[in-house]
Amino acid sequence: MSKYKIALTGIPNVGKSTIFNTLTKSNQHTGNWSGKTVDNTYKSYKYNNNIYEVYDLPGTYSLSTNSKEEEIAKEFIVSNNVDITIVICNAVSLKRSLNLVLQILDITSNVIVVVNLIDEANKKGINIDINKLSNILKVPVISTSATYNKGIEELKKLIEQYITNNNSTNKPYIKDISNEVLYTTNLINRCHTIYNKVVIINSNNKYIKKERKIDKILTNKLTGIPIMLLMLFIIFWLTIVGSNYPSELLSNFLFSLEEPLYNILNFLPTSINNLLVYGLYKTCSWVISVMLPPMMIFFPLFTILEDVGILPRIAFNMDSGFAKCNSCGKQCLTMCMGIGCNAVGVTGTRIIDSKRERILAILTNSFMPCNGRYPTMIAIISMFFIGSSRGILSSIICASILVLLILLGIVMTLLTNKLLSYTILKGDNTPFILELSDYRKIRIGKVIVRSILDRTLYVLGRAILVAAPAGILIYLITNITIKDITTLTYLSNLLEPLGELLSLDGVILLSFILGIPANEIVMPIMLMTYLGTDTLTNYESLSSLKTILIDNGWTISTAISFLIFTLFHFPCATTILTIKKETNSWYYTILSIIIPLLIGIILCMIVNFIL
């Protein structure tokens, strides 16, 4: 049995990761923005008597190494001596892919070209002569529709035939292109010539006309930005309405298991049992019950925006604003990722070509409230700004205030980018090239599977891993006394003067500090300190929680400052570790902690001064 190495490459939005998934039976997440795959994902599959190792390279428009994705793709093809390089093209926009195809043909001999999304092209009146394209390029060319598993079996056969017909001991030749300019006028002209020879388009096709009409609306700043805000409002509203009841049921179920679990672990010393059940288990239960229901609603809705091609249009509309602040329009996409999870948003900054602009996006990504902050913000908004109204009206008001907070985060992101661009990260913005991907039908089944497996469970798992040791630490702090008072109370008293300056108090500040492992545990730590209990405390209802807060000195000013500080404070531990990994710099990691914290302190001081 022989083993062969296959590299999958292509420009963004060609279905490359979908082909990778179908070939290898894996579940690599596919997205609809530039550079979604930012590392080489590896899987293997067996076909007849051979094993094929398939590497999903980052999406790249060329091999000129202007970005991290391009550098990774080129480096892998050149240095890893792959047996076959498969270049995936988008049948709907073949001309965009031909540049990369010709560059790869210039550096390696063993190439198969796959024209994917052929069904979408046919629907839009785009006809491609596959045989003629193969004759022109002098390599095998095959058409596929990976979403519906069409052409994949034929691709496997073609790969095997190609391996059989070519002496596998002779590795493909590699041409040194390190000192060459690949993106030339001559190359562009070749792409046009080939495209005109093999593609026939029915310009009267209704799909093309329909997409052009939609684009005129979504890419117009007068209509596109309001539509963007409306979609964001709808997502928040559905998340608020849909998650309350499941969250309550899940919370009641998990907390009902405390005593049975305590009895099961009764063979352990009492101190250890308390630590595990009332510290570790209770903290993890709180994180799960608070995070899971909203994520299972928010992530699928957000994934739909990706799947149909809305996110690139949002970035297009926001580009001019970022350009004026000497940053990159792609940062808008990473901010959208950060709305779900800031750590994911930080990782997503790899799609930004310029290192300076990538650092800007990393330092300000936590300005977007992650999924762990929504429940706390929703609770405070409901108690202090909605009053006695309930049902649809309250959820509409709550979602509207959340959108306003998002807008505040966007404004502060732009202002911070501008300030940093004139100080520690001086420089001008680089040209922003973003492909407006084709509109696609919503694939509900795949959206749900991807959003739950690739996002919800992944983010929840990371939060639990961080929250578990935090639960043990919090339990120890609340049960160790200093001068006849708990360590928790002692520390909150030390922070009281600073809290009063910010229209907050020492308990709130300490809760945020202890909530670094996961934003979800800020509220229960705060309640635990107010009530003087020795374990994390849940609240029976918003009215009872409001009573507790008011009895401890909360006012409208406190609620406003709390919301601002929830939006602007240091990132969670998971995000901090991700920033360190992405920047490989403690300097930028510390800056990512100081910058949002400083903004939160200044804004809260302003609120305290005004109110």
Side-chain angles (χ1 to χ4, degrees):
M1 184 175 292
S2 301
K3 184 180 291 186
Y4 302 98
K5 185 180 292 186
I6 299 173
L8 283 186
T9 187
I11 71 172
N13 303 312
V14 296
K16 178 171 55 64
S17 293
T18 304
I19 289 180
F20 174 84
N21 293 340
T22 311
L23 280 175
T24 63
K25 309 297 183 186
S26 64
N27 194 38
Q28 164 74 358
H29 175 51
T30 57
N32 207 10
W33 61 78
S34 173
K36 179 64 184 73
T37 305
V38 286
D39 283 316
N40 295 338
T41 303
Y42 153 75
K43 277 282 187 178
S44 63
Y45 73 92
K46 181 180 178 182
Y47 190 78
N48 292 336
N49 295 320
N50 296 323
I51 294 178
Y52 298 94
E53 297 177 348
V54 185
Y55 292 81
D56 185 14
L57 306 186
T60 176
Y61 289 98
S62 74
L63 300 182
S64 56
T65 63
N66 288 326
S67 69
K68 189 172 182 178
E69 305 98 272
E70 294 171 356
E71 184 178 354
I72 292 173
K74 175 191 169 184
E75 184 71 21
F76 187 87
I77 294 172
V78 171
S79 64
N80 281 271
N81 227 10
V82 296
D83 294 281
I84 301 177
T85 299
I86 298 180
V87 189
I88 315 297
C89 302
N90 187 344
V92 179
S93 52
L94 181 63
K95 189 184 297 182
R96 298 173 188 165
S97 298
L98 287 176
N99 176 59
L100 180 64
V101 171
L102 294 178
Q103 288 183 10
I104 290 177
L105 285 173
D106 197 37
I107 65 170
T108 180
S109 59
N110 289 5
V111 174
I112 292 177
V113 175
V114 175
V115 181
N116 192 35
L117 303 172
I118 195 68
D119 56 319
E120 293 186 18
N122 292 335
K123 288 179 182 178
K124 295 177 181 180
I126 301 173
N127 298 304
I128 302 173
D129 191 328
I130 299 297
N131 292 330
K132 184 179 288 186
L133 180 61
S134 178
N135 292 332
I136 293 173
L137 298 176
K138 295 181 174 56
V139 294
V141 179
I142 186 173
S143 62
T144 62
S145 179
T147 302
Y148 304 102
N149 202 22
K150 294 179 180 178
I152 301 300
E153 190 63 28
E154 290 78 3
L155 176 59
K156 289 183 177 180
K157 291 179 181 178
L158 180 60
I159 292 171
E160 185 180 48
Q161 290 173 3
Y162 197 84
I163 290 291
T164 302
N165 295 335
N166 290 270
N167 188 350
S168 60
T169 60
N170 294 328
K171 294 293 184 178
Y173 72 81
I174 298 295
K175 181 179 178 182
D176 183 13
I177 60 169
S178 57
N179 296 318
E180 293 187 17
V181 179
L182 294 172
Y183 195 77
T184 63
T185 302
N186 181 49
L187 188 62
I188 296 174
N189 291 336
R190 285 172 62 193
C191 292
H192 281 291
T193 302
I194 295 172
Y195 180 82
N196 291 332
K197 287 183 177 180
V198 301
V199 177
I200 300 176
I201 300 178
N202 178 9
S203 59
N204 294 322
N205 188 277
K206 63 179 181 179
Y207 287 97
I208 295 178
K209 291 182 178 180
K210 183 178 179 181
E211 289 191 358
R212 287 174 179 171
K213 289 180 180 179
I214 296 174
D215 264 342
K216 285 182 179 180
I217 297 174
L218 292 183
T219 58
N220 187 316
K221 291 179 175 56
L222 294 178
T223 54
I225 292 178
I227 290 174
M228 174 190 72
L229 295 175
L230 177 62
M231 289 188 293
L232 189 63
F233 166 81
I234 292 173
I235 289 177
F236 281 140
W237 180 73
L238 291 174
T239 301
I240 292 168
V241 171
S243 63
N244 286 337
Y245 187 63
S247 184
E248 183 180 351
L249 287 177
L250 185 58
S251 175
N252 292 336
F253 170 73
L254 292 175
F255 285 116
S256 69
L257 300 178
E258 277 186 15
E259 291 307 315
L261 181 61
Y262 190 90
N263 293 332
I264 292 174
L265 299 177
N266 203 33
F267 63 92
L268 296 172
T270 302
S271 58
I272 301 298
N273 202 351
N274 290 340
L275 190 67
L276 292 176
V277 176
Y278 299 128
L280 187 150
Y281 176 78
K282 196 161 191 174
T283 302
C284 291
S285 297
W286 182 278
V287 170
I288 293 171
S289 61
V290 169
M291 284 187 68
L292 186 57
M295 283 197 300
M296 292 190 69
I297 297 173
F298 177 85
F299 279 140
L301 293 174
F302 194 77
T303 304
I304 288 174
L305 294 185
E306 302 171 18
D307 207 45
V308 299
I310 297 297
L311 285 188
R313 274 81 184 171
I314 294 176
F316 177 83
N317 289 328
M318 296 293 294
D319 177 49
S320 61
F322 284 99
K324 291 176 182 177
C325 298
N326 294 343
S327 51
C328 178
K330 286 184 181 179
Q331 185 175 344
C332 179
L333 298 178
T334 68
M335 291 167 65
C336 290
M337 299 180 216
I339 291 177
C341 173
N342 292 138
V344 174
V346 169
T347 304
T349 60
R350 299 179 191 177
I351 68 175
I352 300 175
D353 301 341
S354 163
K355 180 181 179 181
R356 185 190 70 84
E357 292 168 351
R358 188 160 60 246
I359 296 297
L360 283 174
I362 289 174
L363 295 180
T364 57
N365 191 265
S366 64
F367 290 11
M368 292 292 100
C370 65
N371 194 76
R373 289 183 259 179
Y374 296 144
T376 300
M377 298 170 78
I378 291 170
I380 298 301
I381 292 170
S382 300
M383 288 183 291
F384 288 91
F385 300 97
I386 295 178
S388 58
S389 62
R390 291 294 181 268
I392 294 179
L393 178 60
S394 63
S395 61
I396 290 176
I397 296 173
C398 188
S400 300
I401 295 176
L402 278 177
V403 172
L404 290 176
L405 289 170
I406 294 289
L407 288 176
L408 176 60
I410 293 173
V411 170
M412 294 310 302
T413 297
L414 295 174
L415 291 177
T416 304
N417 282 353
K418 189 73 171 179
L419 179 62
L420 293 176
S421 294
Y422 282 111
T423 53
I424 61 176
L425 288 168
K426 293 181 180 180
D428 296 324
N429 64 301
T430 55
F432 174 40
I433 301 174
L434 177 68
E435 179 184 358
L436 292 183
S437 54
D438 305 298
Y439 294 102
R440 298 175 184 171
K441 290 183 179 180
I442 300 174
R443 296 163 290 180
I444 296 296
K446 289 196 173 185
V447 165
I448 293 175
V449 171
R450 287 207 314 261
S451 59
I452 292 177
L453 293 179
D454 296 339
R455 291 184 165 181
T456 302
L457 296 182
Y458 174 69
V459 173
L460 183 64
R462 277 193 319 190
I464 292 173
L465 287 176
V466 176
I472 295 175
L473 176 62
I474 293 168
Y475 182 83
L476 292 174
I477 292 176
T478 57
N479 286 273
I480 296 175
T481 59
I482 299 176
K483 298 179 181 180
D484 297 326
I485 61 173
T486 65
T487 305
L488 199 67
T489 304
Y490 180 80
L491 293 175
S492 65
N493 290 340
L494 289 178
L495 293 170
E496 187 67 26
L498 177 59
E500 291 179 356
L501 185 65
L502 306 181
S503 196
L504 300 170
D505 60 32
V507 172
I508 297 173
L509 294 182
L510 181 61
S511 299
F512 276 104
I513 293 172
L514 295 178
I516 286 180
N519 287 291
E520 297 78 13
I521 60 178
V522 170
M523 182 67 76
I525 293 173
M526 190 168 62
L527 289 178
M528 178 178 64
T529 311
Y530 281 145
L531 297 174
T533 59
D534 58 359
T535 63
L536 291 181
T537 304
N538 200 351
Y539 53 91
E540 297 178 358
S541 64
L542 287 179
S543 59
S544 64
L545 174 58
K546 184 177 181 180
T547 300
I548 294 171
L549 298 181
I550 291 176
D551 289 345
N552 283 274
W554 275 56
T555 62
I556 290 292
S557 175
T558 310
I560 294 174
S561 292
F562 183 87
L563 288 173
I564 290 174
F565 205 74
T566 301
L567 186 62
F568 301 107
H569 68 282
F570 33 77
C572 70
T574 303
T575 304
I576 293 173
L577 294 174
T578 304
I579 292 172
K580 175 59 175 65
K581 179 182 178 182
E582 291 297 313
T583 63
N584 195 29
S585 166
W586 280 113
Y587 172 71
Y588 289 125
T589 303
I590 294 172
L591 272 182
S592 71
I593 297 172
I594 294 176
I595 291 173
L597 179 60
L598 186 61
I599 291 174
I601 289 174
I602 293 173
L603 292 179
C604 287
M605 289 177 66
I606 294 174
V607 170
N608 188 38
F609 177 77
I610 296 175
L611 300 180

